[in-house]
């Protein structure tokens, strides 16, 4: 297969490129590097089956075909990143998704949209099933991401209905693993880098909000199954093992053996109180479920950061705590 991966230099995108190349596919990776990094794909650049186009998919998506599939992952995804890039995030969810759908249509290719658990907002249903329509503040700071992805789902569904594009939607829950940027401000990277440097772990709010963490290789195997099939979705992809944020801080302290303290900081505006995927649809339709326990995956991620002290050395205190947006 020949596959276009938008956002292919990002954290998840680069792992998807790796998996596609490993199974013998040809990959065109399109990324404007606004949050993606060349170092994520550096090992692929001299592969004959891999090519990289540095471009903004929201502006233009002129890439020579043919394509059998388009995986549309391009978007800032970490709260500090999309809060810093609000207009770009809305643009890539709307214009960027349209451009990617157009490429899929032109080439009669399968199209898979990387949507998000954020479309559920602060969910009234728990765990979240795909049938739940969500509870999103349309004008809050997070709306630039949540509503962009909701619009992207609507657009994808409309192209499926109106133009018979073979589309699929996956809703990705919190994912972590090697190649996350230490400066992305997310819980996994903040806690691991703080624990490894002896800084206090910054727990936002009282730490009772919950998240579920999926190891990136598990997630990528689900995306591959979606790319290879014809299932429209949406399907939740995530790990149903649920942690409170405070509980996750303790897990990181235990697995790193760190003596760091825990420091409580204000809760970002509209921070969802709980999030846990119901993955019964993905299990039934794709036969997919995560196989890496959170403990195993976090250990591997800690080892990865330990082997890259330069990644952490570039951090200063404001970056380590940059996840704090305006407070309630
Ligand atoms: N969080 C935290 N400390 C941090 C970073 C994040 O307590 O240093 C919390 C954040 O408030 C949220 C959860 O961890 O409740 C997950 O945040 P993240 O930014 O990783 O992703 P989100 O799920 O909010 O998109």
């Amino acid at each position: 297969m020949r596959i276009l991966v938008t956002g292919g230099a990002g954290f998840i995108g680069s792992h998807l490129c790796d998996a596609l190349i490993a199974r013998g596919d040809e990959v065109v990776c399109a990324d404007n590097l606004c949050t993606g990094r060349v170092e994520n794909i550096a090992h692929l650049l001299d592969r004959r089956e891999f090519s990289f186009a540095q471009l903004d998919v929201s502006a233009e998506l002129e890439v020579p075909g043919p394509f059998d599939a388009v995986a549309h992952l391009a978007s800032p995804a970490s709260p500090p990143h999309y809060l810093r890039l609000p207009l770009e995030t809305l643009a890539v969810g709307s214009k960027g998704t349209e451009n990617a759908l157009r490429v899929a249509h032109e080439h009669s290719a399968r199209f898979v949209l990387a949507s998000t658990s954020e479309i559920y907002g602060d969910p009234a249903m728990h765990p979240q099933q795909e049938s739940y329509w969500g509870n999103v503040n349309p004008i809050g700071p997070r709306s630039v991401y949540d509503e962009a992805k909701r619009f992207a789902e609507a657009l994808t569904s409309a192209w499926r209905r109106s133009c018979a594009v073979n589309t699929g939607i996956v809703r990705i829950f919190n994912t972590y693993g090697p190649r996350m940027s230490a400066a992305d401000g997310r819980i996994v990277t903040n806690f691991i880098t703080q624990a490894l440097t002896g800084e206090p772990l910054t727990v936002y709010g009282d730490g009772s909000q919950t998240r579920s963490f999926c190891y990136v290789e598990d997630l990528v195997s689900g995306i591959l199954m979606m790319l290879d099939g014809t299932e429209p979705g949406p399907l939740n992809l995530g790990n149903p093992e649920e942690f409170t944020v405070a509980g996750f801080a303790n897990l990181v302290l235990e697995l790193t053996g760190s003596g760091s303290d825990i420091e409580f900081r204000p809760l970002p505006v509209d921070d969802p109180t709980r999030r846990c995927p119901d993955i019964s649809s993905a299990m039934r339709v794709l036969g997919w479920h995560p196989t890496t326990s959170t403990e195993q995956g976090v250990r591997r991620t800690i080892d990865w950061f330990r082997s890259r002290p330069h990644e952490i050395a570039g951090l200063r205190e404001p970056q380590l705590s940059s996840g704090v947006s305006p407070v309630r």
Side-chain angles (χ1 to χ4, degrees):
M1 297 228 293
R2 189 164 189 274
I3 296 166
L4 172 64
V5 181
T6 76
F11 158 55
I12 295 174
S14 64
H15 283 280
L16 178 61
C17 292
D18 278 348
L20 291 167
I21 295 284
R23 71 179 199 177
D25 290 338
E26 203 177 312
V27 172
V28 177
C29 159
D31 202 302
N32 69 351
L33 303 178
C34 79
T35 56
R37 305 192 290 178
V38 173
E39 64 196 79
N40 289 342
I41 50 165
H43 58 289
L44 296 174
L45 289 174
D46 56 5
R47 293 286 295 257
R48 199 174 32 82
E49 313 86 343
F50 182 83
S51 56
F52 171 54
Q54 185 173 347
L55 53 81
D56 179 359
V57 303
S58 310
E60 32 120 36
L61 192 46
E62 298 298 327
V63 275
F67 292 110
D68 301 294
V70 176
H72 181 44
L73 279 72
S75 178
S78 137
H81 286 166
Y82 62 68
L83 294 170
R84 178 171 60 80
L85 299 164
L87 302 181
E88 293 83 349
T89 304
L90 284 161
V92 77
S94 52
K95 196 74 188 133
T97 303
E98 189 177 346
N99 288 341
L101 278 160
R102 185 165 291 118
V103 172
H105 186 235
E106 265 169 32
H107 297 284
S108 303
R110 168 76 164 158
F111 176 87
V112 171
L113 171 70
S115 185
T116 170
S117 56
E118 282 284 321
I119 70 112
Y120 299 122
D122 192 8
M125 172 188 260
H126 194 73
Q128 292 79 58
Q129 292 173 354
E130 291 87 347
S131 56
Y132 178 54
W133 290 354
N135 175 33
V136 172
N137 173 359
I139 56 166
R142 289 179 90 100
S143 65
V144 298
Y145 185 64
D146 304 4
E147 297 290 14
K149 290 289 189 180
R150 289 171 69 93
F151 182 81
E153 287 202 9
L155 198 60
T156 301
S157 306
W159 276 70
R160 181 179 183 87
R161 280 192 293 266
S162 307
C163 309
V165 178
N166 174 12
T167 63
I169 298 172
V170 290
R171 293 182 178 154
I172 299 174
F173 284 64
N174 296 58
T175 299
Y176 70 97
R179 294 194 199 142
M180 291 185 96
S181 158
D184 76 1
R186 310 199 74 158
I187 183 172
V188 175
T189 38
N190 275 5
F191 286 0
I192 291 179
T193 54
Q194 289 160 345
L196 293 181
T197 54
E199 299 280 332
L201 272 58
T202 51
V203 169
Y204 302 159
D206 63 5
S208 63
Q209 70 272 37
T210 69
R211 293 294 185 273
S212 313
F213 303 100
C214 188
Y215 190 62
V216 65
E217 280 176 13
D218 285 335
L219 177 81
V220 164
S221 79
I223 297 177
L224 289 180
M225 288 174 182
M226 200 62 169
L227 273 172
D228 291 343
T230 54
E231 167 62 31
L235 290 181
N236 290 338
L237 294 182
N239 188 331
E241 198 183 349
E242 185 180 2
F243 288 81
T244 64
V245 162
F248 189 69
N250 285 319
L251 178 72
V252 171
L253 288 177
E254 184 192 318
L255 298 182
T256 50
S258 168
S260 287
D261 292 331
I262 290 184
E263 196 173 279
F264 291 90
R265 300 268 181 97
L267 191 68
V269 171
D270 293 339
D271 197 282
T273 47
R274 51 195 183 162
R275 198 185 282 154
C276 178
D278 180 326
I279 59 164
S280 43
S281 297
M283 286 172 73
R284 193 183 61 251
V285 174
L286 302 177
W288 176 88
H289 63 92
T291 57
T292 312
S293 71
T294 308
E295 182 175 329
Q296 270 175 324
V298 172
R299 275 191 201 282
R300 284 187 212 159
T301 311
I302 292 168
D303 289 346
W304 186 82
F305 277 109
R306 275 209 171 107
S307 70
R308 279 164 185 76
H310 60 280
E311 179 78 30
I312 302 176
L315 289 178
R316 289 184 304 281
E317 168 63 9
Q319 286 170 307
L320 282 171
S321 59
S322 63
V324 185
S325 58
V327 295
R328 292 191 220 264

